[in-house]
Amino acid sequence: MARQVAIGIGVSRVDRLPVLQGVESGVADFFRWARDQGFEVHSFTDSDGRLVTTDDLKRYVEELVTTRDVQKLFVFFAGHGVSTDLVEDNWLLSRAGTNHDEAISVARSAEYARNCGIPHVAFFGDACRTPPVGFQLGMRGATIFPYLAVRNGVRVRVDRFFATRPGERAFEQVPDDVRSEAFGIFSRLLVAALEGRVPEVVTPIDDGKLPFAVQAHPLGEYLDEQVPRESYRLLAVQQTPDYRAESAWSPHVISWLPGPGQPPAVGVPSAARPSRRGGTTGSRPPDMSQADDDTLSRFLEEERGRRLDETFDRIRNVVLGSSGLAGLTVVGGTASRVLVTGGRADVAEEPEGWHIAGPQHGSATALIEIERADRASDWLAAALFPGLSGTAVLGPHGVEQLIYSPVFAEHDTVPEPPHSIVMALALFEEGMFSPDDKDVQSAVFDRFDPVVAVLTAVEYARRGRPDLVLDLIDHFVNGGRVVPYDLVLFAGQDLDDLHIPVVPDFPMTTRGWVLAETALVGEKAFKAARPYLTPSLWTAFSAAPLPVMQALVGQVETEAGAVDHFRA
């Protein structure tokens, strides 16, 4: 008989981080629902002083995979978390404060799960997704799924539900500082919906196990709407969840129910202390504890619009301040060395920043060494596209903004940047990005923008639609454009079979490196470079030896002395 298994992971204590109060209640509530659904439950928590380790988790999951009798495997996590880029989340286990391997890489676990033969896998994470700081820097995490290719003809559907968006915090409520009353806002709303206490999430199912069910997409849409409301109402903080749902047909439901129930009573505003699950404090929005749903919805919509306008203007100003020269300009750092394929790179210090021109014709891959006053040098990966002027804005952990715009002549008036590209990038930064948005589609299909194309491919891959990524590749090829390498990875294709021009010679995104690892397209250069990847969306390396970087691009080096010549 097919089994359903729920794993509950609760880690309230990690060295050098505050103790969380609502972890135990989150796991207990999830298990209450899971038992009612007929799941076997297995707990990995530190509530009794035990350590939660990757070895224990990996050993148990491998047992489940090798038995080949599991139909559903749901993994719930409550604790601290960090996010190193768009999708590379790490859930911190007991010894993560001293060992970077003692964390769960959600993205890598999800990718490995696709080979596990279990038809339906879901991850639920009530944790922060803030950028790493201090001891968290360089954290890569481990997969809890074994790399076993179970060939049973089953396409594995992987759903992911996160308490907050990448880069942001998740909160728990501790009413009147009473630990036994503490709960995570996301966890409480999640379980209420799973138990059928939210009628709008419950869907009638014909010929199902029970007459009604909670499916992934309605669940995600409900959490998208309700978590921001409750976080404002209860704690006057901003928390917006995120989900990636692939299961879209009735056998792969999240929860079977005899019928819809009553809406949940999540909590009441009180002398509550907001506790964040990782990250740092920020400015608090206005108190909306007494607002009704309509007022709160209008307020949230106005806030989203204001943030989007500010982000649009900031990105537009970056493009207006660019050099317009073909190649890539690095803003916010000093280039000390450039490695490039396809010919020798011309490097010059311009008013806007350090400019790498690359070959006169065609595309090229470049690695740019950036001097850091406080640590070893970073290496930034760059794709040089023909006819495009790129700008890479640096931050503490690598490239924070990557923009390409059409080349224009030196003495021309700086043209207004394409609205669709700027808006697509602004939507991405504000967590509103969708391949279905008209500006996103225009940026990809009318403007052939490589950055927006990669972000679109990421989203298609999240939806489990590699066929749509393949359509993107065809569009670029038919338009005579060079294809960003990551599109090939997200399409699940072998580059040798496609015979198309790609750039760079390795993934542009850290996410792409995850796929390159599981797809075994890396070879020696990939394997040697992976340990030096930094926590950022766009590929960058820290303290990497020069021979390792040279192996990635193959050959030509612009010596530091040559760069000094351009400084003069």
Side-chain angles (χ1 to χ4, degrees):
M1 183 176 182
R3 300 159 61 197
Q4 299 181 127
V5 180
I7 297 174
I9 308 168
V11 183
S12 58
R13 293 173 176 82
V14 176
D15 286 348
R16 294 185 274 182
L17 291 176
V19 176
L20 298 173
Q21 309 297 312
V23 167
E24 291 181 33
S25 67
V27 176
D29 289 348
F30 186 79
F31 275 177
R32 181 185 68 239
W33 162 79
R35 289 190 180 98
D36 288 344
Q37 289 285 310
F39 280 76
E40 302 172 26
V41 300
H42 198 96
S43 176
F44 294 86
T45 71
D46 61 0
S47 59
D48 58 358
R50 290 186 304 172
L51 294 178
V52 181
T53 69
T54 55
D55 283 346
D56 288 343
L57 286 162
K58 290 163 72 172
R59 188 180 303 111
Y60 181 65
V61 173
E62 184 168 354
E63 289 175 4
L64 296 176
V65 172
T66 54
T67 60
R68 304 196 180 189
D69 61 354
V70 178
Q71 186 75 14
K72 288 184 181 181
L73 176 57
F74 288 1
V75 180
F76 175 85
F77 176 86
H80 288 286
V82 296
S83 180
T84 55
D85 65 30
L86 177 62
V87 291
E88 186 59 58
D89 293 279
N90 289 303
W91 292 340
L92 309 190
L93 303 182
S94 300
R95 295 185 295 192
T98 55
N99 186 339
H100 282 181
D101 292 332
E102 288 299 319
I104 299 171
S105 169
V106 184
R108 294 171 64 213
S109 296
E111 290 304 321
Y112 278 45
R114 297 188 188 284
N115 293 321
C116 75
I118 299 173
H120 192 184
V121 177
F123 296 86
F124 305 86
D126 195 348
C128 282
R129 304 177 75 188
T130 46
V133 294
F135 75 89
Q136 302 161 355
L137 292 172
M139 182 171 289
R140 187 160 178 257
T143 173
I144 60 173
F145 278 79
Y147 188 56
L148 296 174
V150 178
R151 306 299 183 188
N152 58 358
V154 172
R155 177 182 175 183
V156 178
R157 310 276 180 158
V158 181
D159 296 325
R160 280 168 275 188
F161 298 87
F162 298 97
T164 190
R165 299 183 309 186
E168 298 187 357
R169 296 161 292 172
F171 292 89
E172 58 181 16
Q173 186 183 30
V174 190
D176 302 315
D177 281 335
V178 178
R179 177 170 183 167
S180 61
E181 300 293 325
F183 62 89
I185 294 176
F186 173 81
S187 295
R188 185 63 58 88
L189 290 166
L190 168 69
V191 173
L194 293 176
E195 290 182 332
R197 291 184 281 138
V198 183
E200 60 264 39
V201 179
V202 179
T203 305
I205 300 291
D206 293 333
D207 300 322
K209 178 180 177 181
L210 287 174
F212 295 89
V214 175
Q215 295 180 284
H217 285 277
L219 174 62
E221 291 169 0
Y222 167 76
L223 293 171
D224 268 355
E225 180 179 347
Q226 197 64 21
V227 171
R229 284 181 181 173
E230 292 303 323
S231 61
Y232 266 94
R233 178 175 286 119
L234 299 178
L235 300 175
V237 294
Q238 299 188 47
Q239 180 175 335
T240 304
D242 188 21
Y243 74 98
R244 301 288 176 263
E246 295 179 12
S247 60
W249 55 299
S250 57
H252 291 114
V253 303
I254 302 293
S255 180
W256 288 105
L257 300 165
Q262 298 299 315
V266 174
V268 294
S270 64
R273 176 173 59 84
S275 173
R276 60 191 184 279
R277 298 190 164 180
T280 56
T281 57
S283 60
R284 291 169 66 86
D287 180 9
M288 301 295 290
S289 61
Q290 303 302 317
D292 58 37
D293 283 353
D294 289 342
T295 301
L296 193 51
S297 294
R298 286 195 299 271
F299 171 75
L300 293 173
E301 188 63 31
E302 290 170 359
E303 281 292 292
R304 283 191 289 265
R306 179 187 59 78
R307 293 199 311 268
L308 183 62
D309 289 343
E310 291 177 353
T311 303
F312 180 94
D313 290 341
R314 175 171 52 80
I315 295 173
R316 174 178 174 271
N317 289 335
V318 170
V319 180
L320 289 175
S322 66
S323 66
L325 300 172
L328 185 84
T329 300
V330 178
V331 179
T334 300
S336 58
R337 189 194 309 264
V338 175
L339 306 174
V340 66
T341 60
R344 184 181 181 85
D346 290 330
V347 182
E349 188 175 16
E350 301 287 346
E352 300 83 7
W354 287 90
H355 182 73
I356 296 89
Q360 292 296 317
H361 303 286
S363 59
T365 299
L367 284 168
I368 307 157
E369 187 178 26
I370 302 296
E371 295 178 359
R372 293 290 193 183
D374 56 342
R375 62 177 189 267
S377 297
D378 288 343
W379 288 88
L380 307 180
L384 309 180
F385 291 93
L388 294 180
S389 175
T391 302
V393 181
L394 303 187
H397 309 303
V399 177
E400 291 189 348
Q401 185 77 65
L402 182 62
I403 309 169
Y404 290 91
S405 56
V407 170
F408 58 88
E410 182 178 358
H411 301 294
D412 287 352
T413 301
V414 179
E416 182 68 24
H419 178 278
S420 61
I421 294 177
V422 177
M423 179 55 76
L425 296 176
L427 289 169
F428 167 72
E429 283 203 21
E430 290 303 319
M432 305 177 191
F433 188 91
S434 169
D436 305 320
D437 183 89
K438 62 181 179 60
D439 287 307
V440 173
Q441 291 195 352
S442 176
V444 173
F445 293 103
D446 299 334
R447 296 287 183 175
F448 294 92
D449 184 78
V451 171
V452 182
V454 169
L455 299 177
T456 298
V458 169
E459 188 62 33
Y460 283 152
R462 285 171 166 175
R463 296 180 180 182
R465 295 298 305 275
D467 56 311
L468 296 181
V469 184
L470 195 57
D471 290 344
L472 286 181
I473 294 174
D474 291 340
H475 180 70
F476 269 67
V477 172
N478 294 335
R481 307 303 174 100
V482 178
V483 177
Y485 179 62
D486 294 60
L487 268 61
V488 177
L489 295 173
F490 292 126
Q493 300 294 307
D494 189 326
L495 184 59
D496 292 336
D497 295 337
L498 294 179
H499 305 292
I500 59 174
V502 299
V503 71
D505 292 343
F506 44 79
M508 291 176 65
T509 63
T510 305
R511 167 66 166 163
W513 285 79
V514 175
L515 295 179
E517 180 178 56
T518 58
L520 302 178
V521 300
E523 304 295 342
K524 293 181 180 179
F526 282 94
K527 294 178 181 178
R530 281 193 189 103
Y532 303 99
L533 284 167
T534 63
S536 62
L537 169 59
W538 304 106
T539 295
F541 306 91
S542 181
L546 179 59
V548 173
M549 296 293 94
Q550 288 174 321
L552 280 179
V553 297
Q555 68 232 20
V556 182
E557 175 186 352
T558 298
E559 299 288 351
V563 178
D564 290 338
H565 168 75
F566 286 106
R567 291 178 190 169

